[in-house]
Amino acid sequence: MIDPTYAIGLGAILFTIGLWGAFTNKNAIIVLMCAELILNAVNINFIAAAAQYGDVTGWVYAVIAIAIAAAEVAIGLAIFLSLYSQRETINLDEVRLLKN
Amino acid sequence: MVTEVQLFTEGGQTWEALAPEITLLLGVVMMLIIPNLGDAKWRIPMTQIRLPVLFGGKRFRATSDPQLPAMLAVATLLTALWQAVMSQSGEGQTWYLTSGSGAEANLMLRVDAFSRLMESVFYVALLLISVAMIDRMPAKRGKSLQMKQMINNRRQADFYILLLMSAIGMSVVTMAMDLFMFFVGLEIASLAIFVLVAFQKETPEGAEGGAKYFIVGAISSAVGLYGLSLLYIWNGNLQLLSNTVTGQIGLAEAWGTMDGVGALPLLGLCFVLVGFAFKVSAVPFHFAAPDAYSGASAPIGGLLATVSKAMGFIGLIRVLAMIASPEAESSTVWMMGLGIISLVTMTWGNVAALGSDNPKRMLAYSSVAHAGYMLAGLTAYGAWIGEGNDATTGAGEWILAAILFHLAVLVAFKLGAFLVLALVELDGQITSSKDLAGLAKRDPVIATAMFIFMLSLAGVPPLAGFMSKFLLIGGIVKMSLVDAASGVAMSDLHWTFWLALAVFLNSAISIFYYLRIGVVMFFDAPPEDRRKPLARAWYIRFTIWACLTGTLLIGLNADFLIEYCQTAAATI
């Protein structure tokens, strides 16, 4: 079996990439992909820890986290689609109608 | 009476314990089926015999009524509310719901006075919103419908399904005793709320507010889940309480007994707090809140300001009970940090509200300020536990009851203010305070109601808002006097006293912008395009009157609610 530390390290790298990407990118779809990267890091962590502790709940957590991620993508894409049909853009810098 | 129940086993009391949630789930299923009933027939292959399947085809007159989904939602929420209240009447029932049995039992949900109180608050808020939305999405039938009305008739069912789904998520949040369970409930509710915020997708504001709220919400909840996974790596389970039968050590005990401060739990907890801070819109995660409030339709803005915020606070209370334990070495540092966040949050919210001309944004910033007040209360609560006191006695119980009371009465006056805006919004989107100008001439009753809501938000006696702020400040002061043995000298005061002072000063500042709305409504002339009397939307008016009654009655006699809140606070 692979040492769980490596898996957790991979999770940390994925999390950092995801968070960095979410803050630096302006395209809504890419930001959504970055959120998905973070959720993948969550899954890797859960599974690595479950393997280490020999605890079934970790796997159950991972499966439910995947379901949450899927629902989030579906909702996100639908919202961005309605934004695009209004503005012809999903660049978050150009979407600034709402202010004081 | 305490009962232990293994979830979904024969002979167990699962259905009894989870009656309101089962009702909500049935409501969702009914909402999917009943509006689709029609005269469709299915032909048996190779024959001429047609069997009626009743699903699809031309819908019947009763099932195609555009107001039917709203009525179903109201009936479902009323039933759930009745079940939630009845289960706590008399001596009050407590259920511990576990998954697995014996040595593998995990405590998943706990049904007690606290969860039932918060559930009732949520159901009442959603009930008011569902009634108000009947007028916001005009449901009519007939041949001469405009395009927009036809779209709205189709979307009534969608809206109420989402509302009931969010109610299910909220119920899970109130009961969860496993941190992952808590997050699942939070996600069920927030995913539905994301869609509700973006529901006005035909307007540019709706799509934009929804997209911004979704992006910030998705990332903060992903970060929160990452924090959970770190806590799981650290502890091996995500139970809040330790279990003596299985020997599992819960997060609270593990946190209290760890040597020094490990990097893993520290990072994990910080990330989890990010997830909750977004929900309560605390600084620095408040940026999406004003956009979401002003982009969404006004009743949904009210939902964000009351219900969605309460969910985040339940999470903070649960986590705080874990980190503030007196054995943990770092608890004072945490409380200091939380105190600074609360100070920044309330001040920033008030300053931004002073500079904001759009009433919806003003209410959004004021709800940021209210989050700051409640965070100040939570800080004092944590400090009380950190001093080694029992959480369910003295100042601890008082403050917690005050926070719960504040969350409950916010539904009366915060939601009421948003409902008034919903009524004014029927004549067109509200973009500046000019749209409220001359409201007293157009409709004196509604203008007076709005004025009372504003006074209550500012904390003027004898209204409900005064009671809640009085309890909150009183609780914090009581906590800060804990070290003072006899007489009061400044040096004896606990540092949380300054938070009470900050809440008081901030309330004083906030009176200015709340009263400005009153001045605009009563003394300014209405703008050209808003001279006519307000729309005769009886459903919205009814909800405004309900909120007004609540604001006045709770302000005059709050004993029963405070007592209930104290019972709830004692069971946390």
Side-chain angles (χ1 to χ4, degrees), chain B residues 395-435:
Chain B
E397 189 197 7
W398 180 310
I399 299 171
L400 200 54
I403 293 171
L404 298 182
F405 182 77
H406 193 80
L407 289 174
V409 292
L410 265 184
V411 171
F413 48 83
K414 183 73 127 199
L415 191 56
F418 272 103
L419 289 172
V420 172
L421 293 186
L423 183 57
V424 179
E425 237 180 21
L426 288 176
D427 299 342
Q429 194 84 2
I430 294 176
T431 50
S432 80
S433 61
K434 280 198 195 71
D435 294 330

Side-chain angles (χ1 to χ4, degrees), chain A residues 8 11-12 15 19 22 28 31-32 35 38-39 41-42 45-46 49-50 53 55 57-58 61 64-65 68 71-72 75-76 79-80 82-83 86-87 92 95-100, chain B residues 106 178 180 184 187 191 194-195 198 201-205 207-212 214-215 218-219 221-223 225-226 229-230 232-236 238 271 291 294 358 361 365:
Chain A
I8 292 166
F15 173 73
L19 204 59
V31 174
L32 188 62
I38 300 177
L39 286 171
V42 173
N45 274 357
F46 274 137
Y53 289 112
D55 180 19
T57 36
Y61 288 162
I64 296 175
I68 289 176
E72 207 164 75
I75 286 173
I79 290 177
F80 295 153
S82 72
L83 180 70
Q86 285 287 332
R87 304 289 181 81
L92 295 174
V95 183
R96 43 178 65 222
L97 193 72
L98 297 163
K99 40 182 137 59
N100 283 324
Chain B
N106 277 320
D178 183 292
F180 191 79
V184 170
E187 284 292 309
L191 289 177
F194 289 147
V195 185
K201 58 178 183 178
E202 295 84 14
T203 62
E205 293 89 1
E208 178 179 333
K212 284 181 175 173
F214 171 79
I215 284 177
I219 289 172
S221 72
V223 170
L225 265 173
Y226 187 73
S229 73
L230 290 184
Y232 181 68
I233 292 171
W234 168 60
N235 192 33
L238 289 172
F271 289 146
D291 288 345
S294 55
N358 182 343
R361 290 185 85 88
Y365 289 127

Side-chain angles (χ1 to χ4, degrees), chain A:
Chain A
M1 195 177 87
I2 311 169
D3 187 354
T5 324
Y6 292 119
I8 292 166
L10 175 65
I13 293 171
L14 277 181
F15 173 73
T16 320
I17 296 173
L19 204 59
W20 177 254
F23 280 119
T24 50
N25 276 291
K26 294 300 168 199
N27 187 312
I29 303 273
I30 297 180
V31 174
L32 188 62
M33 285 159 66
C34 291
E36 292 304 308
L37 272 185
I38 300 177
L39 286 171
N40 282 335
V42 173
N43 291 336
I44 290 176
N45 274 357
F46 274 137
I47 290 168
Q52 193 178 13
Y53 289 112
D55 180 19
V56 193
T57 36
W59 276 292
V60 178
Y61 288 162
V63 171
I64 296 175
I66 291 171
I68 289 176
E72 207 164 75
V73 173
I75 286 173
L77 289 180
I79 290 177
F80 295 153
L81 202 62
S82 72
L83 180 70
Y84 184 79
S85 63
Q86 285 287 332
R87 304 289 181 81
E88 304 270 306
T89 176
I90 49 167
N91 187 327
L92 295 174
D93 268 355
E94 292 169 28
V95 183
R96 43 178 65 222
L97 193 72
L98 297 163
K99 40 182 137 59
N100 283 324

Side-chain angles (χ1 to χ4, degrees), chain B residues 270-314:
Chain B
C270 282
F271 289 146
V272 170
L273 285 181
V274 168
F276 294 149
F278 164 73
K279 272 276 153 226
V280 302
S281 58
V283 173
F285 306 101
H286 60 276
F287 290 112
D291 288 345
Y293 286 47
S294 55
S297 65
I300 298 302
L303 181 138
L304 289 175
T306 56
V307 172
S308 176
K309 185 154 292 197
M311 281 198 297
F313 269 101
I314 295 173

Side-chain angles (χ1 to χ4, degrees), chain B residues 269-549:
Chain B
L269 195 72
C270 282
F271 289 146
V272 170
L273 285 181
V274 168
F276 294 149
F278 164 73
K279 272 276 153 226
V280 302
S281 58
V283 173
F285 306 101
H286 60 276
F287 290 112
D291 288 345
Y293 286 47
S294 55
S297 65
I300 298 302
L303 181 138
L304 289 175
T306 56
V307 172
S308 176
K309 185 154 292 197
M311 281 198 297
F313 269 101
I314 295 173
L316 283 177
I317 292 170
R318 297 273 194 222
V319 172
L320 201 70
M322 161 186 151
I323 55 174
S325 68
E327 296 97 40
E329 294 167 23
S330 56
S331 79
T332 320
V333 182
W334 280 99
M335 289 312 123
M336 290 272 191
L338 199 61
I340 291 169
I341 289 178
S342 89
L343 196 65
V344 176
T345 303
M346 65 177 104
T347 315
W348 195 92
N350 273 325
V351 171
L354 278 176
S356 167
D357 190 43
N358 182 343
K360 271 170 137 179
R361 290 185 85 88
M362 188 277 279
L363 281 175
Y365 289 127
S366 107
S367 93
V368 173
H370 276 262
Y373 304 151
M374 284 184 276
L375 280 175
L378 272 183
T379 312
Y381 174 66
W384 171 263
I385 306 176
E387 298 273 317
N389 298 300
D390 186 1
T392 54
T393 55
E397 189 197 7
W398 180 310
I399 299 171
L400 200 54
I403 293 171
L404 298 182
F405 182 77
H406 193 80
L407 289 174
V409 292
L410 265 184
V411 171
F413 48 83
K414 183 73 127 199
L415 191 56
F418 272 103
L419 289 172
V420 172
L421 293 186
L423 183 57
V424 179
E425 237 180 21
L426 288 176
D427 299 342
Q429 194 84 2
I430 294 176
T431 50
S432 80
S433 61
K434 280 198 195 71
D435 294 330
L436 286 179
L439 197 64
K441 292 194 187 69
R442 299 171 65 199
D443 199 319
V445 180
I446 294 298
T448 313
M450 182 69 168
F451 190 59
I452 290 174
F453 293 143
M454 289 293 124
L455 290 181
S456 185
L457 278 168
V460 173
L463 301 167
F466 167 74
M467 264 329 274
S468 67
K469 254 180 211 161
F470 174 77
L471 286 174
L472 201 60
I473 295 178
I476 301 175
V477 170
K478 196 171 171 182
M479 157 63 214
S480 62
L481 292 175
V482 72
D483 292 335
S486 61
V488 178
M490 275 323 245
S491 55
D492 285 342
L493 288 176
H494 195 270
W495 56 268
T496 47
F497 176 76
W498 300 106
L499 283 179
L501 201 65
V503 173
F504 186 75
L505 288 178
N506 266 294
S507 302
I509 299 175
S510 71
I511 290 178
F512 176 73
Y513 59 80
Y514 290 128
L515 285 188
R516 193 171 57 190
I517 293 280
V519 170
V520 167
M521 283 190 308
F522 281 92
F523 298 116
D524 285 6
E528 285 294 323
D529 52 336
R530 287 178 189 265
R531 286 273 163 83
K532 280 184 282 186
L534 285 179
R536 198 186 291 128
W538 289 114
Y539 289 109
I540 299 187
R541 277 169 198 263
F542 168 74
T543 54
I544 293 172
W545 289 332
C547 287
L548 188 63
T549 319

Side-chain angles (χ1 to χ4, degrees), chain B residues 27-43:
Chain B
V28 173
V29 174
M30 282 201 312
M31 197 85 83
L32 287 169
I33 293 174
I34 294 182
N36 283 317
L37 291 181
D39 61 356
K41 290 192 176 68
W42 180 69
R43 186 171 64 88

